[in-house]
């Protein structure tokens, strides 16, 4: 078969700029294997009329030229159709750059091999399309995305960047630690009287999706496989052998709060992997709670520089779900009308 080769030129806009050439191409040529992308960089693609290395950082106004057959380019860049996902989240905060939403129980933050359609990321993208804040037909590589991830059965705030610049800035703030402080609410077994500052190392068994704490000496031998954890815990209210706690995570490790609280002797109720078996049996029987009771409650923004500096000092709070409130009332044996107040 003989193809008619042509030159396809793409202008780089704000949402495409600031990223490496190879990363842009991995998104634009979303059906191409990595080997084909790097071969294209060597032979079929120029930036501003010149060959560029894969690590070239694209700038606004750059022109990426594809010297490739029209049929092959269409095949490699064809977008996969996806159905619309029913909206399940509520909005905590939104402006032209960012949106913070409340993720309900049982919903994935991202899709996985079993659920590719109905997850929070898709729901938020569909909302932004309907609102007119995002047009996928005009974007070559950018899609609004979350900067923090919650487990399926953890509820609470998830933060999204609505454009490429805000997404990059938010990801940087999350990595920097201290620019965005993250707080959770949970109920643990035991009467916690004083604040805790927990520092440990953990390793994850990816096959079993479970983590364990290791000593500093073990961590030194394991190298990069062992990850540091740092958590602050503040008791809010204790009653009947349980404590409502507010937890700040400095690092964001897999299962960090559940693992740290278990090691400290105050396991999260309902936590099958790291919790107390008798407590879990009790809350399962009394409240039908068969997973960890954990809620991403609050975000504090502490950044004085950059395009999102207008958020400095803002605090976003996500009200505790009614199910959390119901279990709280039942465990603390207060009258049904009592609710946990914002703290």
């Amino acid at each position: 078969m003989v193809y008619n080769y042509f030159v396809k030129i793409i202008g780089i806009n704000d949402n495409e700029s600031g990223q490496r050439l190879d990363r842009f191409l991995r998104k634009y040529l979303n059906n191409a294997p990595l080997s084909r992308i790097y071969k294209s960089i060597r032979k079929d693609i120029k930036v501003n009329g010149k060959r560029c290395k894969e690590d070239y950082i694209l700038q606004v106004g750059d022109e990426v030229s594809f010297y490739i057959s029209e049929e092959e380019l269409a095949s490699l860049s064809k977008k996969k159709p996806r159905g619309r996902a029913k909206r399940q989240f509520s909005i905590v905060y939104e402006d032209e750059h960012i949106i913070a939403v409340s993720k309900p129980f049982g919903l994935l933050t991202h899709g996985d091999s079993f659920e590719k359609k109905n997850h929070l990321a898709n729901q938020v993208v569909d909302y932004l399309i309907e609102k007119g804040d995002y047009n996928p037909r005009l974007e070559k590589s950018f899609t609004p995305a979350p900067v923090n991830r919650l487990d399926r059965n953890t509820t609470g705030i998830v933060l999204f960047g609505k454009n490429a610049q805000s997404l990059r800035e938010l990801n940087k703030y999350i990595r920097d630690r201290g620019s965005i402080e993250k707080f959770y609410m949970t109920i643990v077994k035991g009467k916690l009287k004083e604040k805790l500052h927990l520092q440990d190392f953990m390793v994850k068994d990816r096959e079993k999706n479970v983590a364990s704490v290791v000593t500093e000496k073990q961590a030194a031998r394991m190298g990069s496989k062992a990850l540091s954890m740092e958590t602050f815990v503040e008791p809010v209210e204790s009653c009947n052998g349980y404590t409502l706690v507010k937890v700040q995570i400095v690092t964001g490790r897999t299962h960090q709060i559940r693992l740290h609280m278990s090691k400290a002797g105050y396991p999260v109720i309902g936590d099958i992997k790291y919790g107390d078996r008798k407590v879990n049996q009790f809350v399962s029987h009394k409240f039908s709670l068969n997973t960890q009771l954990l809620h991403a409650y609050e975000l504090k923004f502490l950044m004085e520089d950059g395009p999102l500096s207008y958020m400095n000092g803002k605090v976003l709070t996500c009200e505790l779900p009614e199910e959390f409130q119901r279990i709280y009332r039942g465990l603390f044996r207060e009258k049904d009308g009592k609710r946990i107040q914002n703290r």
Side-chain angles (χ1 to χ4, degrees):
M1 183 179 294
V2 178
Y3 292 106
N4 294 319
Y5 286 84
F6 78 118
V7 181
K8 170 76 171 180
I9 299 176
I10 293 176
I12 298 301
N13 62 24
D14 288 336
N15 280 340
E16 271 75 54
S17 67
Q19 60 182 318
R20 288 166 50 121
L21 175 62
D22 57 348
R23 291 178 182 170
F24 165 77
L25 293 173
R26 288 176 68 176
K27 298 170 188 174
Y28 186 74
L29 303 176
N30 59 298
N31 292 321
L34 280 177
S35 58
R36 182 67 180 90
I37 287 174
Y38 288 107
K39 179 182 178 182
S40 295
I41 292 173
R42 294 193 304 270
K43 296 185 176 182
D44 304 322
I45 293 173
K46 293 182 180 180
V47 180
N48 301 326
K50 299 178 180 179
R51 301 283 184 202
C52 286
K53 297 288 187 180
E54 63 271 10
D55 59 356
Y56 173 79
I57 304 298
L58 294 169
Q59 306 295 323
V60 173
D62 280 349
E63 292 187 338
V64 179
S65 302
F66 293 79
Y67 297 82
I68 190 172
S69 74
E70 187 172 5
E71 291 84 354
E72 185 176 14
L73 181 60
S75 174
L76 296 179
S77 61
K78 184 178 181 181
K79 301 292 185 182
K80 297 178 181 178
R82 64 176 179 85
R84 299 179 66 80
K86 181 181 177 181
R87 176 175 166 181
Q88 297 170 268
F89 65 89
S90 59
I91 298 171
V92 176
Y93 173 87
E94 183 178 9
D95 61 31
E96 62 181 317
H97 302 294
I98 67 176
I99 178 172
V101 303
S102 175
K103 187 187 84 67
F105 176 85
L107 183 66
L108 289 170
T109 303
H110 295 280
D112 61 15
S113 57
F114 299 102
E115 180 56 76
K116 301 181 183 298
K117 172 187 172 183
N118 190 29
H119 52 82
L120 182 65
N122 268 1
Q123 291 185 19
V124 172
V125 167
D126 285 343
Y127 162 76
L128 294 175
I129 291 173
E130 289 179 2
K131 191 168 179 279
D133 287 357
Y134 172 66
N135 187 342
R137 294 181 180 179
L138 300 180
E139 298 294 343
K140 305 170 188 72
S141 67
F142 173 74
T143 303
V147 297
N148 62 312
R149 177 186 173 277
L150 300 181
D151 290 340
R152 180 194 289 270
N153 294 328
T154 298
T155 58
I157 298 181
V158 179
L159 188 62
F160 284 73
K162 292 172 66 173
N163 54 61
Q165 184 182 46
S166 62
L167 184 60
R168 285 194 295 269
E169 288 295 309
L170 289 172
N171 278 318
K172 183 183 74 173
Y173 292 142
I174 291 290
R175 290 194 303 270
D176 285 348
R177 297 179 189 174
S179 295
I180 300 178
E181 295 183 344
K182 294 172 285 186
F183 298 86
Y184 291 70
M185 295 288 281
T186 187
I187 296 174
V188 298
K189 172 62 178 175
K191 186 175 182 179
L192 180 61
K193 298 179 180 180
E194 299 179 348
K195 295 180 180 180
L196 300 176
H197 180 196
L198 307 174
Q199 293 178 291
D200 286 291
F201 292 89
M202 61 86 77
V203 292
K204 182 180 179 182
D205 185 328
R206 297 190 179 278
E207 290 185 2
K208 297 180 180 180
N209 191 29
V210 66
S212 57
V213 176
V214 296
T215 66
E216 189 171 354
K217 288 184 179 180
Q218 290 173 322
R221 291 197 297 268
M222 293 178 175
S224 60
K225 292 183 179 180
L227 303 174
S228 63
M229 297 188 297
E230 185 174 9
T231 307
F232 291 92
V233 185
E234 177 184 355
V236 176
E237 182 180 358
S238 293
C239 186
N240 300 321
Y242 296 93
T243 304
L244 174 71
V245 295
K246 186 174 183 178
V247 182
Q248 179 186 2
I249 56 171
V250 180
T251 53
R253 309 303 186 193
T254 300
H255 303 166
Q256 177 175 325
I257 294 175
R258 298 157 60 188
L259 184 60
H260 243 164
M261 295 309 298
S262 177
K263 178 170 183 294
Y266 302 94
V268 172
I269 65 170
D271 186 356
I272 303 301
K273 290 187 176 180
Y274 311 105
D276 181 285
R277 183 172 59 85
K278 290 184 178 180
V279 169
N280 291 342
Q281 288 176 344
F282 169 72
V283 296
S284 176
H285 176 74
K286 185 173 179 63
F287 305 109
S288 299
L289 177 67
N290 296 303
T291 188
Q292 72 273 5
L293 187 70
L294 191 60
H295 180 72
Y297 174 71
E298 188 174 87
L299 295 177
K300 288 185 179 180
F301 293 81
L302 302 170
M303 57 276 234
E304 297 180 356
D305 302 313
L308 297 181
S309 59
Y310 67 89
M311 292 293 293
N312 185 45
K314 285 188 182 294
V315 179
L316 305 183
T317 302
C318 182
E319 183 178 353
L320 287 154
E322 180 54 41
E323 182 69 4
F324 194 121
Q325 299 275 3
R326 181 181 70 87
I327 293 170
Y328 161 75
R329 291 193 297 266
L331 286 176
F332 287 70
R333 295 181 183 174
E334 297 288 349
K335 59 183 179 180
D336 291 346
K338 181 173 181 181
R339 298 179 66 82
I340 303 171
Q341 301 300 314
N342 290 348
R343 298 173 185 271

